[in-house]
Amino acid sequence: MPTVKIAPSILSADFSQLGEQVERALDAGAQYVHIDVMDGHFVPNITIGPLVTRSLRPLADKHQATLDVHLMIENEDRYVADFAQAGADIITVHVEACPHLHRTVQKIREAGARPGVTLNPATPLAALEEILPEVDLVLVMSVNPGFGGQAYIPSSTKKISRLRGMLDAIGSTAELEVDGGVTADNAAEIVAAGANVLVAGSAIFGGPHSIAENVASLRTAIEVGRNER
Ligand code: DX5
Ligand code: ZN
């Protein structure tokens, strides 16, 4: 089974020391940097844009890490090229926000990034059926998007297993990423269900332990899940 990657969500980092904190997570073995882009329309919160993405590109290059941009915005088509030019490796869009999802996915590829699609907790997997062969990543939201630090929605685990089945059935090698409420306590179950990229914000940048300790705890839990798979 391929390795499971850890994707620290910078939303929970201390932005006054962003580079330093991201570097600590990468030094500890995280392979992705997850960038949550929110516009105050699709989701109630407002966060960051291409500028911060660009500023993290050199750090990602230094560590051969993947810049994983999660767009939670309206009018995604308008911004895809900006994020690709800023250095995004993966650009993931919400099926709920894209009326012409197939075109948006093509746009992402044409802009030079790898396309991902994601769906909110209440959106059925059936919404992905037609687009699945076209994408390099599928993201299962295990909280309602908008804020870090929310609790994992337990029914997400079954959704992950079913999505793993759908991907395997079409021979897709797309990444299966999970985002929201991922901790060292549930990482094993999420990996056992078939996920291979785990986003973690507060579990990496929050709490009393160091970033390195938090990444190590997640890694230990992931190995347990891999053995259960
Ligand atoms: C939620 C974001 C997540 C969030 C994860 O809208 O997409 O990436 O930052 O944070 P935690 O791991 O704290 O749930
Ligand atoms: Zn996210």
Side-chain angles (χ1 to χ4, degrees), residues 3-163:
T3 53
V4 175
K5 287 148 240 167
I6 296 175
S9 162
I10 63 167
L11 198 56
S12 298
D14 175 350
F15 276 73
S16 72
Q17 332 172 26
L18 183 60
E20 204 180 300
Q21 294 209 339
V22 169
E23 184 140 44
R24 270 189 237 151
L26 295 175
D27 278 337
Q31 297 99 326
Y32 280 30
V33 179
H34 185 82
I35 300 176
D36 285 308
V37 179
M38 307 187 189
D39 66 350
H41 293 278
F42 180 65
V43 289
N45 201 2
I46 298 178
T47 57
I48 55 189
L51 217 68
V52 172
T53 307
R54 187 181 295 281
S55 69
L56 289 170
R57 187 65 255 175
L59 207 52
D61 285 338
K62 183 177 163 197
H63 292 265
Q64 291 168 323
T66 296
L67 283 189
D68 172 31
V69 172
H70 175 193
L71 296 184
M72 286 159 275
I73 62 173
E74 290 176 0
N75 294 320
E76 273 136 328
D77 285 0
R78 221 173 113 187
Y79 298 99
V80 158
D82 289 350
F83 281 98
Q85 279 159 22
D89 294 299
I90 297 171
I91 299 177
T92 297
V93 295
H94 270 263
V95 302
E96 301 87 358
C98 288
H100 305 289
L101 185 60
H102 190 275
R103 188 167 65 203
T104 305
V105 163
Q106 281 178 322
K107 258 194 164 162
I108 295 171
R109 222 181 264 292
E110 281 161 17
R114 289 191 278 146
V117 289
T118 182
L119 65 204
N120 285 334
T123 306
L125 289 173
L128 294 177
E129 205 179 313
E130 306 299 330
I131 202 69
L132 226 42
E134 315 292 332
V135 299
D136 292 354
L137 179 145
V138 188
L139 169 60
V140 172
M141 285 307 299
S142 42
V143 298
N144 288 291
F147 300 94
Q150 303 179 76
Y152 181 82
I153 298 172
S155 59
S156 310
T157 306
K158 274 197 183 142
K159 202 174 185 182
I160 296 161
S161 311
R162 284 189 288 129
L163 176 58

